[in-house]
Amino acid sequence: MKMAAITASAPGRIDYYAQSLCPSITTSATFKRGTGETLPGFPSQYEGERVWTGSKWLDPNLEKSYIVQIDKDDLLEVESALRHFQGLNVPPGLLSRDTFPLPKGLSHRLRKVSQDCYNGRGFAIVRGISPDRFTDEENVLVFGGISSYIAPTRGFQDVHRELVTCHVLSEDMRPGSKEQNLRPAFTNGRLAFHTDVGDILALHTLGVSDTGGETMIASACQIYNEMAESRHDLIQELAQNWAFFHSQDYYTDGTPLLTNAPGDKLVFQFSRLPITGFRSQGANPTLPPPSEKRLEAMAKVEELAWKHAFPLPREPGDMAYINNLCLMHARSAFDVDEDGNPLPSKRHLVKLMLQDPELAWELPQHLGWYLERVYGPNQEDGGRTEKWQLSVKDESLPDGRIWAGSGALSNG
């Protein structure tokens, strides 16, 4: 399939979509054997369930291991919980296990999803809730209610630290899209591999594209292990401080992309977007240009991530839960014509960024900003309030709906 058409980069600008980010570098031509060295505080190789290649999960016999199936009886319980919550007449920010009550059996199965994300393979899918059964607003409430059993703390996703929901739709064909400086997530194009900001990335599929649009995931531990064997120099580069967009409220002095959390838990936070920019919006001009070594490291990560990627199975209503600390995610292009131009698409995901306080990893001190920005208080009195967008429809706006991702932070 051809990739969606993109605006040409200005001279000297790094292309977000480029396989090689620097013409003078070919990652396959600069292969180096490891020296047996390890980074200080890191194991030479990671082991355990979080180390995997995508080919493993292509085995259909393994689907039952990562898919939690909601049956007819479960569905009646979910609908009962929704009606109970609606009857309370309280805002969505009060969604919890208490206000969205589910029976012990289903609750136990959902709690296991958190175990799988934090301590197991790093991902799981809850399947069986058809979006056609509920209204747009109810689908988001059901997503929030079920997610409260998996990881009850919701993260902020916008620059103002208010919004906890994000609707992921393509705006490529919407009038005025060129003036919106769209991020890649809100186009028909593919997404490069990246992580967002938060512990668990949760994606609820409300609409599926006709072609393409698969969510791809890759094990950062697998990528680390392969790079440690062949390109230890690039691993060292990734372990240095990297700075990101100031406008995204990142820690401006920079943080290492690679961190080994207590218990030998690899935390890999990565995106090429702040370095490359996208379409007409370049990288932050106040940041120094990346070195060739950094460009090479970024390209190698992308190469290995696609090599070991797993396309998550998807059906309308699927709720995917992905450990954002140690798994990277991307997306294939979707609904484009023969020339790569975007077509109308039904693809619609709702995103939450979650944390389970019972299982959350202990993160090093230099990632304290990360926890505070996403999960900390947003009120002067130390309290926390949440803003929800239950639907993209808004009759008060000229074309009847909000801009997807309006105000949201996104690394992709």
Side-chain angles (χ1 to χ4, degrees), residues 243-269:
F244 290 94
F245 271 140
H246 296 271
S247 62
Q248 288 184 306
D249 194 26
Y250 282 102
Y251 182 57
T252 54
D253 291 339
T255 56
L257 302 190
L258 288 173
T259 301
N260 189 47
D264 276 349
K265 296 180 175 71
L266 176 66
V267 178
F268 192 11
Q269 299 297 277

Side-chain angles (χ1 to χ4, degrees), residues 31-52:
F31 182 94
K32 294 181 181 178
R33 279 288 170 194
T35 63
E37 302 172 73
T38 59
L39 292 176
F42 284 77
S44 58
Q45 294 277 280
Y46 283 92
E47 299 178 350
E49 292 184 68
R50 288 188 292 275
V51 184
W52 47 258

Side-chain angles (χ1 to χ4, degrees), residues 30 36 63 77 153 191 196 237 240 249 268 348 357 374 381 406:
T30 52
E63 277 201 357
E77 296 289 356
T153 303
L191 295 186
D196 290 323
E237 190 64 39
Q240 302 300 312
D249 194 26
F268 192 11
H348 181 185
V374 182
D381 62 1
S406 179

